[in-house]
Every structure is written in C-alpha cells, then in structure tokens.
Amino acid sequence: MIVFLDGVLEEKGPTRVVVNVNGVGYEAAIPLSSYDRLPAAGARVKLLTVPVVREDAHLLFGFMTEDERTMFGLLTSINGIGPRLGLAVLSGLAVRDLKAAVANGDVKRLSGISGIGRKTAERIVLEMRDKLGKGDLMEAVTGGKAPGPNEAKLRDTLLALISLGHKQAEAQHMVRDIAGSVTPDMPLEEILRKVLSGRK
C-alpha cells in the first residue's frame, strides 16, 4: 500500500497533483486545504496518501497533513460518503472547523458544502461524534486552550451534554447556570445531575 509520496512536485492544481518519484509520475486527488500548503511546482514535496482500489481504477488521494488524512478516513467510513465526497468536505471546511461543526451539531454549516445535503450532514454529525475522541471534541469546543481544574470539570460537563445530543450553545447555557456551585473535586456525575435537574 502506498502511504506517502516523496519526490518532485511536477504539476499542481486545486484538485490534483502529480509527484515524480524516481522518474515515475503519481497522480493524486487532493482537497483545497492541502493545495494551500503545497510548495511551488518543481520543489520537493512529501504527500501523505490513501489508495483506493476499484474494479475499473486505482485511485490515489493525497494530503499535506496527518490530520487531513485521518479525517478523510473517518469521513469515508460513514455510509454514503465516498472518497470524492470526503475530499469535498475537506475542501469546504478546515479540519478544526469540521470538528467544531460536528461538536456543535452545526448541520447548516455542513449542508452548505457542495454535494452535502441535510440528511448527509446530520449523518456526519451523528457518526463523527462517535468516531472523534474526547480530546478532538474538547479541542473543537475550547479552541485548544489548557483548562484549569475547575474549568476542566465544566468543560467535561459541556462535552458530556454535547454527547447526549444538546447543541453547544444550549449546553454552554446549562453549564453557566450551575458554574458557581461546581468545585474541582465534585464528580462529573453529580454535576450532570445538577445540570439536568436544574438544581443549583
């Protein structure tokens, strides 16, 4: 399996590249997010790849970062999303923005991507929440800032509420309502009971 190409960038375009590896030219389809990171034609490039073998074609999809390649794999594991649609999603949203859209349940933003209808956007949110780790969701919700002990408890509560199906704005409002009564040593289960029961 071809996992990366390391060679000279012979051709580049918004949707495809050709990389010369020891005299052999490899064509790969790429998302716009990778195109923005490509060096000038003629320069050396290392392109991370995902091969897709079909009866009628052997296709190669390329990415400039591991985050893009990982997200592509997660997207294409969702029923109804093939490689081309996976590239379309990554072309429409940066990886961090995609994670944020999933964490926030932002179906409208996802369905604004060419080729993604409302039902597909809803499926992406539902399935990607399960596939993304807690750390990815926290990064998306918090912007990657390291929280203090008490803030960490509140953010764990926020993530738990989002995983239960609450939208981020609603979950943030619920957490704010009980924030003053939360202590660093309070169990998450107790905090969630406070939030869901409305008691402070």
Side-chain angles (χ1 to χ4, degrees), residues 48-158:
L48 306 177
T49 56
V50 174
V52 174
V53 179
R54 294 177 176 167
E55 289 184 6
D56 59 343
H58 287 211
L59 306 174
L60 205 56
F61 297 87
F63 309 91
M64 288 299 290
T65 70
E66 186 59 50
D67 278 348
E68 290 171 326
R69 180 165 66 175
T70 298
M71 192 61 67
F72 177 78
L74 292 175
L75 284 166
T76 54
S77 69
I78 297 173
N79 185 39
I81 298 184
R84 297 292 181 186
L85 201 50
L87 282 190
V89 173
L90 290 174
S91 292
L93 288 175
V95 170
R96 174 171 285 188
D97 292 336
L98 176 56
K99 289 178 181 178
V102 170
N104 298 340
D106 196 344
V107 171
K108 183 177 180 180
R109 189 172 190 187
L110 288 167
S111 59
I113 298 170
S114 178
I116 302 293
R118 183 172 182 83
K119 287 186 178 179
T120 301
E122 289 173 347
R123 191 160 61 247
I124 290 173
V125 168
L126 182 64
E127 295 196 28
M128 288 287 282
R129 276 182 178 168
D130 293 333
K131 296 175 188 295
L132 287 174
K134 179 180 176 182
D136 287 318
L137 289 174
M138 178 172 282
E139 177 189 354
V141 171
T142 66
K145 297 177 182 177
N150 205 46
E151 192 177 357
K153 282 287 183 183
L154 294 175
R155 289 180 178 175
D156 282 347
T157 305
L158 178 63

Side-chain angles (χ1 to χ4, degrees), residues 4-23:
F4 69 85
L5 300 174
D6 191 344
V8 176
L9 184 60
E10 292 284 347
E11 299 177 26
K12 60 180 286 190
T15 60
R16 64 179 285 277
V17 295
V18 175
V19 180
N20 182 336
V21 181
N22 296 325

